[in-house]
Amino acid sequence: MSSNDILQQGADLLMLGMGSVFVFLSVLVVATTAMSWFINRWLPEVEAEPVARKPAPSTEINSKTLSIIKQAIAQHRVAKGRASAE
Amino acid sequence: MSSNDILQQGADLLMLGMGSVFVFLSVLVVATTAMSWFINRWLPEVEAEPVARKPAPSTEINSKTLSIIKQAIAQHRVAKGRASAE
Amino acid sequence: MSSNDILQQGADLLMLGMGSVFVFLSVLVVATTAMSWFINRWLPEVEAEPVARKPAPSTEINSKTLSIIKQAIAQHRVAKGRASAE
Amino acid sequence: MENLWLASGLAQIQMNQAIMILVGLALLFLAIRKKFEPLLLVPIGFGGIMANIPGAGLASSALELALYAQDPMVIGAARELFEMPVAHIDAVLHAIDNSAYSIHAQLSAVAQDAGYNNGALYNFYSVAIASGVAPLVIFLGVGAMTDFGPLLANPKTLLLGAAAQFGIFATVLGAVGMTYFGIMDFSIAEAAAIGIIGGADGPTAIYVASMLAPDLLGAIAVAAYSYMALVPLIQPPIMRALTTEAERQIVMTQLRTVSKREKIAFPVIVLILVGFFIPDAAPLLGMFCLGNLMKESGVVDRLSDTAQNALINITTIFLGLSVGSKLAADKFLDPKTLGILALGIVAFAIGTAAGVLMAKLMNVFAKQKVNPLIGAAGVSAVPMAARVANKVGLESNPHNFLLMHAMGPNVAGVIGSAVAAGVMIAVVKAFG
Amino acid sequence: MENLWLASGLAQIQMNQAIMILVGLALLFLAIRKKFEPLLLVPIGFGGIMANIPGAGLASSALELALYAQDPMVIGAARELFEMPVAHIDAVLHAIDNSAYSIHAQLSAVAQDAGYNNGALYNFYSVAIASGVAPLVIFLGVGAMTDFGPLLANPKTLLLGAAAQFGIFATVLGAVGMTYFGIMDFSIAEAAAIGIIGGADGPTAIYVASMLAPDLLGAIAVAAYSYMALVPLIQPPIMRALTTEAERQIVMTQLRTVSKREKIAFPVIVLILVGFFIPDAAPLLGMFCLGNLMKESGVVDRLSDTAQNALINITTIFLGLSVGSKLAADKFLDPKTLGILALGIVAFAIGTAAGVLMAKLMNVFAKQKVNPLIGAAGVSAVPMAARVANKVGLESNPHNFLLMHAMGPNVAGVIGSAVAAGVMIAVVKAFG
Amino acid sequence: MENLWLASGLAQIQMNQAIMILVGLALLFLAIRKKFEPLLLVPIGFGGIMANIPGAGLASSALELALYAQDPMVIGAARELFEMPVAHIDAVLHAIDNSAYSIHAQLSAVAQDAGYNNGALYNFYSVAIASGVAPLVIFLGVGAMTDFGPLLANPKTLLLGAAAQFGIFATVLGAVGMTYFGIMDFSIAEAAAIGIIGGADGPTAIYVASMLAPDLLGAIAVAAYSYMALVPLIQPPIMRALTTEAERQIVMTQLRTVSKREKIAFPVIVLILVGFFIPDAAPLLGMFCLGNLMKESGVVDRLSDTAQNALINITTIFLGLSVGSKLAADKFLDPKTLGILALGIVAFAIGTAAGVLMAKLMNVFAKQKVNPLIGAAGVSAVPMAARVANKVGLESNPHNFLLMHAMGPNVAGVIGSAVAAGVMIAVVKAFG
Ligand code: NA
Ligand code: NA
Ligand code: NA
């Protein structure tokens, strides 16, 4: 293969590559916009979506734990406040 | 292979199959019953089994967390009740 | 292979093996001592190491949960104590 | 390997692939919107779409891709191997289709020399299913999640799990009947693989199909999981038709508590009996019992935990994608698929009926009556079928909770269909 | 397989290995102390050290080890295979280097007969990378961690992700230019593999390099991950140079909320479009979309959870070690590595510039102005590049939070470079 | 492959399998009831039962199954390959037993053509152990669980870990002695593999046995894990016999705190020294050090976490089942097994004694006295041996807590036996 050939191949790759990337992502812009329009027009989620996502267990624990901590701390402070006030 | 042969094979499979399934599970009924009788007669678990199973961590957290939540809620209600009563 | 050969091989393995193990671990004693000296002399950790290790999530939950449990139990006892005192 | 691609034009192929993409989308819809066994049907449906991407060949081996392309190097090597230097290319392809494992291995090497690579889904299939490992690992995890307590408290419910397997074998007979009457052309191995749908147990069905009829695996797995999801629709009418109101109101005595030692001994006993009576069922039931022993022994909780979570989840993802690879148009869009779907639902129905009737038969002889509704749970489809039995029972008597009673036949059904699978593999092997 | 070991003496080899051990230590230092992409660079650096242990041959195949040792049995078998009974040993080794897959397979069997075994890292590489599976699994996990919400709220930011891929192809041109001017000797396949560094996406770079230029994989992966870690240094000067203060202060309207159904539909649409337009990108993007669908569908949380944790972590460890195996001195210490490192940083810079300029171009036509800083996030390097855009934006307007706006082009860049990868693989295959 | 099945009748085989099933049950009893290393002995015992199911062939390869069945196609292919057209079938089987890897590969393909498949446990063994990967992954996880702090605080305890390896090499001498006196017939490779039991480290023993004496692997692994569980019984009498009451009361100064940087540097130093001095120990110790570095570096916690949990658990399950596959009667029920069991316990005893004596020797020269009890912890068996040292110490002085002091030699013993393993592999390879 001559040196020119590889330059040519590089240029071809640039054209084909950027062309494909732009065409594909442009098509995706159109398809996504159409999909969003269609769903929001014809298939809106009326209320609390029935397919409600079960939170990942750890998160669940964390949030529960956190709320408990907050409460516990609050009560602790109250208790301490009361104790020191007495 | 003639068409008759495959019918014959199907019938054989039915006989052998259901036969084996019933024989095997019947043997299992007998073996299980005998095993349960033997264990409960000769190897009863006297007290708290020493091979006590460590509960799976997540479950442990959940049940502990749950009990805490219940308590926290209960205390919260009590506190609120007291607060609103005052 | 004559029987003598295998005895010889066994003896060789003993020599080479124990030799290598002792040489290697002795070198490691020296290298480790030098490394510790070098780090403590030239690269001491000034303050709270910035590469502080994020505790494993489960442990974190456990310890939090545990502290909450302790508190909850303590409060529970206090509450019970108060209740029975009244 | 089907030679479909030679018989039909490119346009036909692409049309078929488009149809299969719609099938994949339908499976995703059922899985996500209707909650049809989503753990399997999401990866199966998605894998099915991937397998039908035109030109990507994700579900094809390097050799298949070389043959699609009629690669001269590979065709040449085949001509030499088969000593057919001047034969028409169709004859060469036909010879390859019918050649043995070692010939395939040699031609695969040539195809790789020629620059072809196995598709990603093909690789997943080879590792997860063709090797047989994925169903075994799923069974390990399922075993670690199974509680044999209700079964041990009332061992005779094992017979209900046995009876429900009649759905499997009746369906085999149905399939060979179709062949006999010229409606379909199933071999005895294919008929056996189709029958296992009646086992209502996904991994067992995949295991048997991968051994006896790999080309039908896609349709068989889709049928098995779909009908398992449809158990709440399929079973109740049959259960009501075969029982009287009085029978449905039968109250069962509360189950005794089962000791830890019994639970530890049970999986070991099952393993040894299976090994003695049905060695071909030993891989599946062995892994199932190991999982259960890991759970019940209480000394290897970290292993049991991993078997129930990371390991089974990882395996499920790749099992699903691998099954999806068998939804490639040239394998799935075949009249046989319609036959499989039709036979599969019959299998579920017959299994349900057999379970219920067996319970009624037992009531003729036994003093302690069983509610015949729990017989329907013998098809397995754990725990859906047990819940269905409970629900139908509550309709007749709102205070009669059958769930725990139905769990006995339910897990017995898993053992039963694994035994049936072992027998079928052994017998079909013996038929040669 | 390089014949380097014949040309140079043993001392030279060991010196090179010592250098590579220092390179491995440097990577560990950057990973641990400087937090340069530690998840990959810790196993890569460690694997690099292991690969360069003199005499251990951990990164070598059984055949390579037999040839290093000039094993007479293997050389003899090769002489017979190539029918060169009296040729010089160098000629035999050269013939082996250039022989096809099936010849290698045969000689490997002979080497194993002669008592050689594949090194541990070589095995990891075969299973994790040569099979293509590890990058696919990583993409599955990354997909399950990705939120396409910001992209769906503003789909035209996809174009920013497209523009930033110019860095990839400009770099290909740079690499072939180096070949043209005789500075380096890159083939078109190698040039393409180097260009993909500009995609700023580790698994994509490894996937492409493993297909097009496996010998350069070590350098390409190290460059990709190192520059991804350096994004906060590389991008800001370019972003500032190409934008005015006024542009950097542009406030973007808040993103609309995106419904769950849109999020579920998006990965399916991407899969189908990719299958239709760029089938060679289907494996990578298919797994990415499957991961995302598993997350968004909400019905297979246990699979999504495992894909994001156990599965991706296990794969990352072996992927890193496998990349490390390609840091063996005879593959890495090559002038080409310098070329790769130089071209890689250029690729990042050009990609950044192209993203910013595209955003400015869009502002010429669109009514809703975008802040051109978010164009820089189009190179991917998720989520670092988006954070950089946010940070540079805050410097000009401390109340203008661009992070969510930048996440759109950021994830678009992942899709864009996977598409670019697919095109490059297809085109280079077509070049033959 | 043993030709045992030809020499003895079918009845004898089944009797042997029954015996091995009892052995498997005994292992399960020890694991579950007595808590003998349950993580390994549950899957090993269970796998051992599965491997001995008559007629199932779960532990056999496709080729072995074809030969058991004296399949004419495979025998015919062998006759052709070996050019022995009229030889007796026993001669053919013998020739196959002694043939090379590539012959086996060819005949395996023929066996698969003839419809035989590898047993499930055989596949597990191939992937997990024959490839060498499972022990490496276990070492990765163990490394991520190991704290080198106590060792770094008192590096000279490394010498105790060295001394305890004398148990390994003394046992090798014992094994060759048995051969010399005609009691047993161990080759030098087998003697080395038996010796490694004295390393008191399961994965190291499996790794070495899989390389040097795969047929003995079952017995070696069972001995290693059983004796590790028996450490609290084996060690104390030896420790008491070799120390005076005064020595056992020696109080050691509290260990200094070790900085994070030292802990990060240590695994890297070990890797480099191992690579330089004992390259054959590099795979095992490399993975061990990588795991430790992942833990100590603190920047890849998610990888470290997975290595310590999902990854090591998954690997343990399959490692155990694979070891169990080597409990097939034809491999395990051999006089050699008795020799292995006898030599194994001697190895533990000698290792313990050597560790204690080394500590006494060190006290002769050093100013800072060490309590010689911690020398016994040098055999590894982490952390059991360290706990034993602590317990025996408390008997003499109820306020002298030796646990942390004993952890130093304990983890040093792991390094020591991995080094010994590397040396043995290299030396035995050199013996040819
Ligand atoms: Na069933
Ligand atoms: Na990108
Ligand atoms: Na040791």
Side-chain angles (χ1 to χ4, degrees):
Chain A
M1 190 199 295
S2 82
S3 298
N4 265 325
D5 281 354
I6 200 172
L7 266 194
Q8 185 59 47
Q9 287 183 339
D12 288 355
L13 202 47
L14 172 62
M15 295 300 168
L16 271 166
M18 280 313 286
S20 305
V21 169
F22 261 111
V23 168
F24 180 80
L25 292 182
S26 301
V27 169
L28 198 53
V29 171
V30 173
T32 303
T33 309
M35 176 271 286
S36 288
W37 174 85
F38 181 83
I39 286 181
N40 291 321
R41 175 78 184 77
W42 298 104
L43 305 165
E45 282 158 30
V46 268
E47 20 156 13
E49 170 67 1
V51 194
R53 178 120 132 279
K54 198 183 66 190
S58 60
T59 322
E60 183 185 28
I61 291 169
N62 273 338
S63 64
K64 280 185 187 171
T65 311
L66 275 172
S67 77
I68 299 162
I69 293 167
K70 281 179 197 154
Q71 256 188 9
I73 291 172
Q75 291 182 10
H76 185 68
R77 280 189 191 143
V78 168
K80 255 175 64 177
R82 216 160 29 205
S84 56
E86 280 169 20
Chain B
M1 188 197 298
S2 83
S3 298
N4 264 325
D5 280 355
I6 200 172
L7 266 194
Q8 185 58 48
Q9 288 183 339
D12 289 356
L13 202 48
L14 171 63
M15 296 299 168
L16 271 165
M18 279 315 285
S20 305
V21 168
F22 260 109
V23 168
F24 180 79
L25 292 182
S26 302
V27 169
L28 198 53
V29 171
V30 174
T32 303
T33 309
M35 176 272 285
S36 287
W37 174 86
F38 182 84
I39 285 183
N40 291 320
R41 174 78 185 77
W42 297 106
L43 305 165
E45 282 158 31
V46 269
E47 21 157 12
E49 169 66 2
V51 194
R53 179 122 131 276
K54 199 183 67 191
S58 59
T59 322
E60 183 185 29
I61 290 170
N62 273 337
S63 64
K64 280 186 186 170
T65 309
L66 275 171
S67 76
I68 300 163
I69 291 167
K70 282 179 198 155
Q71 255 189 9
I73 291 173
Q75 291 183 10
H76 186 68
R77 281 188 190 145
V78 168
K80 256 174 67 176
R82 223 172 13 217
S84 57
E86 279 167 21
Chain C
M1 189 198 296
S2 83
S3 297
N4 265 325
D5 282 354
I6 200 173
L7 266 194
Q8 185 59 48
Q9 288 183 339
D12 289 355
L13 202 47
L14 172 63
M15 296 299 168
L16 270 165
M18 280 314 285
S20 305
V21 169
F22 261 110
V23 169
F24 180 80
L25 291 181
S26 301
V27 169
L28 197 53
V29 171
V30 175
T32 302
T33 310
M35 176 272 285
S36 288
W37 173 86
F38 181 84
I39 284 182
N40 292 321
R41 175 77 184 78
W42 298 105
L43 304 166
E45 282 159 29
V46 269
E47 23 157 12
E49 169 67 2
V51 193
R53 180 120 131 278
K54 197 183 66 188
S58 61
T59 322
E60 182 184 29
I61 290 170
N62 274 338
S63 64
K64 278 185 186 168
T65 309
L66 275 172
S67 76
I68 299 163
I69 292 166
K70 281 178 197 153
Q71 255 190 8
I73 291 172
Q75 290 182 10
H76 185 68
R77 280 187 191 146
V78 168
K80 254 173 68 176
R82 218 165 23 208
S84 58
E86 281 168 21
Chain D
M1 225 179 305
E2 299 286 319
N3 269 331
L4 204 70
W5 69 85
L6 290 173
S8 60
L10 188 69
Q12 181 57 44
I13 293 176
Q14 289 181 341
M15 173 57 68
N16 287 344
Q17 289 175 325
I19 293 172
M20 287 310 301
I21 289 176
L22 292 178
V23 170
L25 291 173
L27 291 176
L28 289 179
F29 176 79
L30 292 174
I32 295 173
R33 184 78 192 156
K34 300 289 177 196
K35 307 268 193 357
F36 269 36
E37 298 280 329
L39 291 174
L40 263 294
L41 287 188
V42 165
I44 288 177
F46 204 92
I49 298 175
M50 287 176 78
N52 286 287
I53 292 175
L58 294 181
S60 305
S61 69
L63 176 55
E64 284 172 318
L65 292 173
L67 296 177
Y68 284 121
Q70 303 202 3
D71 183 80
M73 192 165 146
V74 176
I75 302 285
R79 279 183 192 288
E80 246 179 74
L81 265 171
F82 298 126
E83 297 175 0
M84 41 205 304
V86 295
H88 188 266
I89 190 164
D90 284 13
V92 178
L93 291 171
H94 191 256
I96 296 172
D97 268 16
N98 293 302
S99 63
Y101 168 87
S102 56
I103 301 289
H104 270 240
Q106 284 177 55
L107 289 177
S108 287
V110 177
Q112 286 181 277
D113 286 356
Y116 296 89
N117 290 307
N118 293 331
L121 294 178
Y122 177 88
N123 281 338
F124 292 165
Y125 182 86
S126 304
V127 172
I129 297 188
S131 71
V133 75
L136 298 181
V137 174
I138 302 277
F139 253 59
L140 181 79
V142 171
M145 294 181 201
T146 297
D147 179 8
F148 281 119
L151 182 67
L152 287 166
N154 191 5
K156 70 174 189 285
T157 55
L158 277 163
L159 298 179
L160 300 174
Q165 309 316 316
F166 187 69
I168 293 178
F169 296 102
T171 305
V172 175
L173 216 57
V176 301
M178 280 184 161
T179 301
Y180 182 75
F181 290 111
I183 307 168
M184 292 275 161
D185 183 28
F186 295 123
S187 69
I188 185 70
E190 288 175 338
I194 295 167
I196 202 69
I197 298 172
D201 186 280
T204 302
I206 291 169
Y207 186 77
V208 171
S210 74
M211 289 203 166
L212 299 183
D215 279 355
L216 306 186
L217 191 146
I220 289 172
V222 165
Y225 283 105
S226 302
Y227 294 145
M228 280 163 68
L230 288 172
V231 151
L233 297 181
I234 298 172
Q235 289 197 318
I238 300 165
M239 293 157 76
R240 287 192 205 103
L242 295 176
T243 51
T244 64
E245 178 68 21
E247 284 172 333
R248 292 199 291 277
Q249 290 184 352
I250 293 176
V251 176
M252 295 179 69
T253 51
Q254 218 197 316
L255 295 171
R256 72 172 176 91
T257 48
V258 172
S259 75
K260 179 143 281 308
R261 287 181 183 179
E262 290 170 81
K263 289 188 178 181
I264 292 174
F266 183 71
V268 177
I269 286 176
V270 173
L271 171 68
I272 289 174
L273 289 179
V274 165
F276 195 76
F277 286 102
I278 327 268
D280 283 278
L284 272 181
L285 279 176
M287 294 302 277
F288 188 69
C289 292
L290 173 57
N292 193 248
L293 181 65
M294 294 197 316
K295 174 191 167 223
E296 299 296 354
S297 70
V299 293
V300 290
D301 284 339
R302 56 182 295 159
L303 300 187
S304 162
D305 222 58
T306 296
Q308 290 175 51
N309 292 292
L311 184 52
I312 198 172
N313 292 343
I314 291 171
T315 309
T316 300
I317 293 172
F318 289 105
L319 181 73
L321 285 170
S322 303
V323 170
S325 81
K326 290 291 182 184
L327 299 193
D330 56 344
K331 266 134 198 163
F332 195 88
L333 283 186
D334 192 293
K336 286 182 178 177
T337 296
L338 292 178
I340 291 167
L341 291 173
L343 288 164
I345 199 158
V346 171
F348 268 64
I350 296 179
T352 303
V356 172
L357 293 175
M358 181 70 191
K360 295 177 71 162
L361 181 67
M362 280 165 66
N363 280 350
V364 175
F365 300 101
K367 216 162 40 192
Q368 287 260 10
K369 302 299 176 201
V370 302
N371 188 314
L373 294 174
I374 71 168
V379 297
S380 23
V382 184
M384 189 76 88
R387 283 194 201 140
V388 167
N390 187 57
K391 188 161 161 286
V392 176
L394 287 175
E395 289 169 9
S396 297
N397 176 352
H399 301 295
N400 191 7
F401 293 94
L402 295 172
L403 188 64
M404 288 319 284
H405 297 284
M407 286 310 297
N410 209 198
V411 298
V414 176
I415 299 177
S417 40
V419 168
V423 175
M424 295 213 296
I425 291 168
V427 171
V428 170
K429 229 190 280 172
F431 286 156
Chain E
M1 227 179 304
E2 300 286 318
N3 269 332
L4 203 69
W5 69 85
L6 290 174
S8 62
L10 189 68
Q12 180 58 43
I13 292 175
Q14 289 180 342
M15 174 55 69
N16 287 343
Q17 289 176 324
I19 293 172
M20 285 312 300
I21 288 176
L22 292 178
V23 170
L25 290 173
L27 290 176
L28 288 180
F29 176 79
L30 292 174
I32 296 172
R33 186 77 194 155
K34 299 290 178 196
K35 308 268 192 359
F36 269 37
E37 298 279 331
L39 291 174
L40 263 294
L41 287 188
V42 165
I44 289 177
F46 204 91
I49 298 173
M50 288 177 76
N52 286 288
I53 292 174
L58 295 181
S60 303
S61 69
L63 177 55
E64 284 172 318
L65 292 173
L67 295 178
Y68 284 121
Q70 305 201 3
D71 182 81
M73 192 165 147
V74 176
I75 302 283
R79 279 184 191 288
E80 244 179 73
L81 264 172
F82 299 126
E83 296 175 0
M84 41 204 306
V86 295
H88 189 267
I89 190 164
D90 286 13
V92 178
L93 291 171
H94 191 256
I96 295 172
D97 269 16
N98 293 300
S99 63
Y101 168 86
S102 56
I103 301 289
H104 270 239
Q106 283 177 56
L107 289 177
S108 286
V110 177
Q112 286 182 275
D113 286 356
Y116 296 90
N117 290 307
N118 293 331
L121 294 179
Y122 178 87
N123 281 338
F124 293 165
Y125 181 85
S126 304
V127 172
I129 297 188
S131 72
V133 75
L136 297 182
V137 175
I138 303 277
F139 253 60
L140 181 79
V142 172
M145 294 182 201
T146 297
D147 179 8
F148 280 119
L151 182 66
L152 286 166
N154 192 4
K156 69 175 192 284
T157 56
L158 277 163
L159 298 178
L160 300 174
Q165 309 315 318
F166 188 68
I168 292 177
F169 296 102
T171 305
V172 175
L173 215 57
V176 301
M178 279 184 159
T179 301
Y180 182 75
F181 290 111
I183 305 168
M184 292 278 161
D185 183 27
F186 295 123
S187 70
I188 184 69
E190 289 175 338
I194 295 167
I196 202 68
I197 298 173
D201 186 279
T204 302
I206 291 169
Y207 186 78
V208 171
S210 73
M211 289 201 167
L212 299 182
D215 279 354
L216 306 186
L217 190 147
I220 288 172
V222 167
Y225 283 104
S226 302
Y227 294 145
M228 278 162 69
L230 288 172
V231 150
L233 297 181
I234 298 172
Q235 288 198 319
I238 300 165
M239 292 157 77
R240 286 192 205 102
L242 294 175
T243 50
T244 65
E245 179 69 20
E247 283 171 332
R248 292 198 290 278
Q249 291 184 350
I250 292 176
V251 177
M252 294 179 70
T253 51
Q254 216 197 319
L255 294 172
R256 71 172 176 93
T257 47
V258 171
S259 74
K260 180 141 279 307
R261 288 181 181 178
E262 290 171 81
K263 288 186 177 181
I264 292 175
F266 184 71
V268 176
I269 286 175
V270 172
L271 171 68
I272 289 174
L273 290 178
V274 164
F276 195 76
F277 286 103
I278 327 268
D280 283 277
L284 273 180
L285 279 177
M287 294 301 277
F288 189 68
C289 291
L290 173 57
N292 193 248
L293 181 65
M294 294 197 316
K295 174 189 167 225
E296 298 297 354
S297 70
V299 293
V300 291
D301 284 339
R302 56 183 294 159
L303 302 186
S304 163
D305 222 58
T306 296
Q308 291 175 52
N309 292 293
L311 183 53
I312 199 172
N313 292 343
I314 291 171
T315 310
T316 300
I317 293 171
F318 290 105
L319 181 73
L321 285 170
S322 302
V323 170
S325 81
K326 290 291 182 184
L327 299 193
D330 57 344
K331 267 135 197 163
F332 196 88
L333 284 185
D334 192 293
K336 285 183 178 176
T337 296
L338 292 179
I340 291 166
L341 291 173
L343 287 164
I345 198 159
V346 171
F348 268 65
I350 295 179
T352 304
V356 173
L357 293 175
M358 181 70 192
K360 295 178 71 162
L361 181 67
M362 279 165 66
N363 280 350
V364 175
F365 299 102
K367 216 160 41 192
Q368 287 259 10
K369 302 300 176 200
V370 302
N371 188 314
L373 293 175
I374 72 168
V379 296
S380 23
V382 184
M384 190 76 88
R387 284 194 201 139
V388 168
N390 188 56
K391 189 161 161 287
V392 176
L394 287 175
E395 288 169 10
S396 296
N397 176 352
H399 301 296
N400 192 5
F401 293 94
L402 295 173
L403 188 63
M404 289 317 285
H405 297 284
M407 286 309 297
N410 210 200
V411 298
V414 176
I415 299 177
S417 40
V419 168
V423 176
M424 294 211 298
I425 290 168
V427 172
V428 169
K429 229 190 282 173
F431 285 157
Chain F
M1 228 180 302
E2 298 288 317
N3 269 331
L4 203 68
W5 69 85
L6 289 175
S8 62
L10 188 69
Q12 180 56 46
I13 292 176
Q14 289 181 342
M15 174 57 68
N16 287 344
Q17 289 176 324
I19 294 173
M20 286 312 299
I21 288 176
L22 292 179
V23 170
L25 290 173
L27 291 176
L28 289 179
F29 177 79
L30 291 174
I32 294 172
R33 185 77 194 155
K34 300 289 177 197
K35 308 267 192 0
F36 269 35
E37 298 279 332
L39 291 174
L40 264 294
L41 287 189
V42 165
I44 289 177
F46 204 92
I49 298 174
M50 287 177 76
N52 287 287
I53 292 175
L58 295 181
S60 304
S61 69
L63 177 55
E64 284 171 318
L65 291 173
L67 296 177
Y68 284 120
Q70 305 202 2
D71 183 81
M73 192 165 147
V74 176
I75 302 286
R79 279 184 192 288
E80 245 180 74
L81 264 171
F82 298 126
E83 296 175 0
M84 41 205 306
V86 296
H88 189 266
I89 189 163
D90 285 13
V92 178
L93 290 172
H94 191 256
I96 295 173
D97 268 16
N98 294 300
S99 63
Y101 168 87
S102 56
I103 301 289
H104 270 239
Q106 284 177 55
L107 289 176
S108 287
V110 177
Q112 288 182 275
D113 286 356
Y116 296 89
N117 290 307
N118 293 331
L121 294 178
Y122 178 87
N123 281 337
F124 293 165
Y125 181 85
S126 304
V127 171
I129 297 188
S131 72
V133 75
L136 297 182
V137 174
I138 302 278
F139 253 59
L140 180 78
V142 172
M145 294 181 200
T146 298
D147 179 9
F148 280 119
L151 181 67
L152 287 166
N154 192 4
K156 70 174 189 287
T157 56
L158 277 163
L159 297 179
L160 300 174
Q165 309 316 316
F166 187 69
I168 292 177
F169 296 102
T171 304
V172 175
L173 216 56
V176 301
M178 279 184 161
T179 300
Y180 182 76
F181 291 110
I183 306 168
M184 292 276 162
D185 183 27
F186 294 123
S187 69
I188 184 70
E190 289 175 337
I194 295 166
I196 201 68
I197 298 172
D201 185 279
T204 302
I206 291 169
Y207 186 79
V208 171
S210 74
M211 288 200 167
L212 299 182
D215 278 355
L216 305 185
L217 191 146
I220 289 172
V222 167
Y225 283 105
S226 303
Y227 294 145
M228 279 162 68
L230 288 172
V231 150
L233 297 181
I234 298 171
Q235 289 197 319
I238 301 166
M239 293 157 76
R240 288 194 202 99
L242 295 175
T243 51
T244 64
E245 179 69 20
E247 284 171 334
R248 292 199 289 277
Q249 291 184 351
I250 293 176
V251 176
M252 295 180 68
T253 51
Q254 217 199 316
L255 295 171
R256 69 172 178 91
T257 48
V258 172
S259 74
K260 178 141 281 305
R261 286 181 184 178
E262 290 171 81
K263 290 187 175 181
I264 292 174
F266 183 72
V268 176
I269 286 175
V270 172
L271 171 67
I272 289 173
L273 289 178
V274 163
F276 195 76
F277 285 102
I278 327 270
D280 283 277
L284 272 181
L285 279 177
M287 294 302 277
F288 189 69
C289 291
L290 173 57
N292 193 248
L293 181 65
M294 293 198 314
K295 174 191 168 223
E296 299 297 354
S297 69
V299 293
V300 290
D301 284 338
R302 56 181 294 158
L303 301 187
S304 163
D305 221 58
T306 296
Q308 290 176 53
N309 292 294
L311 184 53
I312 198 172
N313 291 344
I314 291 171
T315 310
T316 300
I317 293 172
F318 290 104
L319 182 72
L321 285 171
S322 303
V323 170
S325 81
K326 290 292 182 183
L327 299 194
D330 57 343
K331 266 133 196 165
F332 195 88
L333 283 187
D334 192 294
K336 287 184 178 176
T337 295
L338 292 179
I340 291 167
L341 291 172
L343 287 164
I345 198 159
V346 172
F348 267 65
I350 296 180
T352 303
V356 174
L357 294 174
M358 181 70 192
K360 295 178 71 162
L361 181 67
M362 279 166 66
N363 280 349
V364 175
F365 298 102
K367 216 161 39 192
Q368 288 259 11
K369 302 298 177 203
V370 302
N371 188 315
L373 293 174
I374 71 167
V379 297
S380 20
V382 185
M384 190 76 87
R387 285 195 200 140
V388 167
N390 187 56
K391 188 161 161 285
V392 176
L394 287 175
E395 289 168 9
S396 297
N397 176 352
H399 302 296
N400 192 4
F401 293 94
L402 294 172
L403 188 64
M404 289 317 285
H405 297 284
M407 286 309 297
N410 210 199
V411 297
V414 176
I415 299 177
S417 40
V419 168
V423 175
M424 295 211 299
I425 290 168
V427 172
V428 169
K429 227 190 286 172
F431 285 157

